[in-house]
Amino acid sequence: MLQLFRTGFWVVFVTMYPLTLIAVTYAPELLRVWLGADFAIQGAAALRWLAVGVLSNSLASIPFALLQGIGRSDTTAKIHLVEAPLYLGLMVWLIHERGITGAAIAWSVRTTLDLVLLYWQSREQVRGTRTGWSRTVRRLPC
């Protein structure tokens, strides 16, 4: 089980990190080719933040699937219920302060928080179980 978890983590990371790096590095150029110069000037910062958020969200799918797989969908629901008001407040404030870039920052912060909380809870839930594979998964890479 540990090997499957680690393999999943690294496959997602190795797939998504280069795409994130390209999006962050070449955001203005990509937007200029796709949507024109005016949008590139305004949207580059938002694209950079969204790329980071997509990386976090992609990595969070691994512990999310683990929690769902061991029958702890209640745990993922509770995490999302805790995040919702924090995200809403942060989103309103950052949109007011920074516009579309603020919305991208708020979403990226939420996905990164989601990543951290899901990894933490997957580790805690696996520690709490008394099955044979839990000793192996206990050493989750977080």
Side-chain angles (χ1 to χ4, degrees):
M1 182 59 90
L2 176 61
Q3 188 59 39
L4 184 60
F5 188 91
R6 285 187 177 164
T7 300
F9 172 84
W10 285 110
V11 166
V12 171
F13 183 77
V14 167
T15 303
M16 294 305 296
Y17 184 76
L19 297 173
T20 302
L21 185 61
I22 289 167
V24 168
T25 304
Y26 298 107
E29 292 82 3
L30 293 169
L31 289 174
R32 189 174 301 111
V33 168
W34 183 28
L35 297 169
D38 291 338
F39 196 87
I41 293 167
Q42 305 263 340
L47 176 58
R48 287 180 172 126
W49 279 103
L50 288 173
V52 171
V54 167
L55 177 64
S56 294
N57 203 37
S58 299
L59 292 172
S61 68
I62 306 301
F64 179 86
L66 174 69
L67 289 167
Q68 297 290 316
I70 63 172
R72 295 309 312 257
S73 58
D74 65 311
T75 302
T76 58
K78 289 172 187 172
I79 287 171
H80 292 142
L81 282 173
V82 167
E83 289 174 354
L86 300 173
Y87 174 51
L88 182 61
L90 184 63
M91 182 178 56
V92 168
W93 177 64
L94 284 173
I95 289 173
H96 183 282
E97 293 293 317
R98 309 247 342 240
I100 193 164
T101 301
I105 293 169
W107 184 75
S108 296
V109 167
R110 190 209 58 83
T111 60
T112 303
L113 177 62
D114 199 41
L115 170 67
V116 170
L117 293 175
L118 286 168
Y119 267 93
W120 170 64
Q121 272 304 299
S122 62
R123 178 173 235 176
E124 292 299 312
Q125 293 297 329
V126 169
R127 279 187 183 159
T129 61
R130 298 293 179 214
T131 61
W133 61 270
S134 69
R135 288 185 296 272
T136 306
V137 182
R138 188 175 307 155
R139 298 174 296 174
L140 292 176
C142 48

